[in-house]
Amino acid sequence: ENEMPVMLDESVKQLVSQRLTDMKEPVNIKVFSTKDHCLLCNEMLELVEEVGKLSEKITVTNCDCKEDDPEAKKYNIEHHPSLVIEGDEDYGIRFFGVPAGKEFTTLIESIMLVSSRDPVLAPEIKENLATLKKEVNLKVFVTLQCPYCPAMVIRAHKLALASDKITAEMIEASQFQELSQKFDIFGVPNTIINDGKGSVEGL
């Protein structure tokens, strides 16, 4: 099933610290967990705290709170464990479920993305995004073994950083089976737009 290698071994830590030396601006990672009824909350917190130790530019905070908590409401957190990566503000970048396995790279790259404050998109994409009139939510369903999922999550997170109207969530399908069933997720990556008004399968 899902292997959850939470404690990072030394070689991984070295690679990650090296990658994080390129961080520009500070990043705050907010973990949302609940003591009860949350299978992988401790794993999430441990993983993020381990990563947080690898750079002085990363702050980690934990909200041990349920969905009705003002803090959880402010960030629209309805599932645990989850995390928000923010900079000077909240850009709408979320992870639901532990980003282990292949998604560990996504976690690091999303930290780098937020730290850069620049999504690096083609000018025509930026122009397109500027015409958005309504809020758009992207739910990228992934599994931890899927080779094409990380790139899709990063794309969604770039769009969230680029536009105030977009929020983008990685959702680990096996950790949130009810959600996967609700949106008929069979293959991943599968990106659900505004709760099923549209979807994009694959990368």
Side-chain angles (χ1 to χ4, degrees):
E1 270 286 292
N2 284 327
E3 298 139 45
M4 286 289 164
V6 169
M7 300 316 282
L8 305 176
D9 65 38
E10 287 312 309
S11 57
V12 173
K13 279 185 191 171
Q14 276 179 332
L15 284 170
V16 173
S17 337
Q18 212 169 353
R19 181 78 183 102
L20 297 176
T21 52
D22 293 333
M23 282 181 75
K24 293 193 174 78
E25 303 293 332
V27 164
N28 179 29
I29 307 178
K30 249 186 181 354
V31 178
F32 288 84
S33 61
T34 50
K35 279 201 175 66
D36 27 275
H37 315 304
C38 178
L39 275 176
L40 297 166
C41 280
N42 291 343
E43 281 84 347
M44 180 74 118
L45 197 51
E46 275 176 46
L47 181 70
V48 174
E49 282 174 347
E50 290 266 296
V51 170
K53 286 178 195 151
L54 302 176
S55 169
E56 289 177 358
K57 290 191 172 165
I58 299 176
T59 319
V60 176
T61 53
N62 180 35
C63 186
D64 185 1
C65 52
K66 293 200 163 67
E67 291 86 340
D68 54 5
D69 185 275
E71 190 75 352
K73 280 195 159 140
K74 177 184 163 192
Y75 289 92
N76 237 343
I77 301 296
E78 293 171 357
H79 315 286
H80 296 88
S82 56
L83 61 86
V84 172
I85 303 179
E86 55 183 8
D88 314 305
E89 55 183 279
D90 172 20
Y91 306 111
I93 291 175
R94 310 277 186 270
F95 286 82
F96 290 116
V98 183
K102 292 204 174 2
E103 290 302 329
F104 179 66
T105 313
T106 315
L107 172 64
I108 303 304
E109 290 313 311
S110 290
I111 291 171
M112 296 306 294
L113 177 66
V114 170
S115 179
S116 74
R117 307 288 195 264
D118 178 12
V120 194
L121 293 167
E124 61 268 25
I125 294 179
K126 287 182 176 168
E127 284 163 27
N128 272 341
L129 290 177
T131 65
L132 283 176
K133 293 189 173 57
K134 295 178 180 163
E135 305 279 313
V136 176
N137 171 260
L138 304 173
K139 287 179 168 57
V140 185
F141 282 85
V142 306
T143 61
L144 301 182
Q145 299 80 22
C146 153
Y148 300 108
C149 289
M152 194 64 198
V153 177
I154 290 291
R155 283 181 185 186
H157 283 173
K158 278 186 173 184
L159 294 176
L161 181 57
S163 168
D164 290 346
K165 292 209 161 37
I166 299 178
T167 52
E169 304 157 3
M170 175 211 89
I171 299 179
E172 210 287 318
S174 65
Q175 293 175 54
F176 295 105
Q177 288 175 355
E178 279 178 29
L179 275 179
S180 304
Q181 283 164 356
K182 178 181 170 185
F183 294 113
D184 284 333
I185 305 296
F186 293 106
V188 287
N190 193 341
T191 304
I192 302 293
I193 303 165
N194 284 0
D195 289 331
K197 294 208 168 64
S199 71
V200 178
E201 288 187 37
L203 177 58

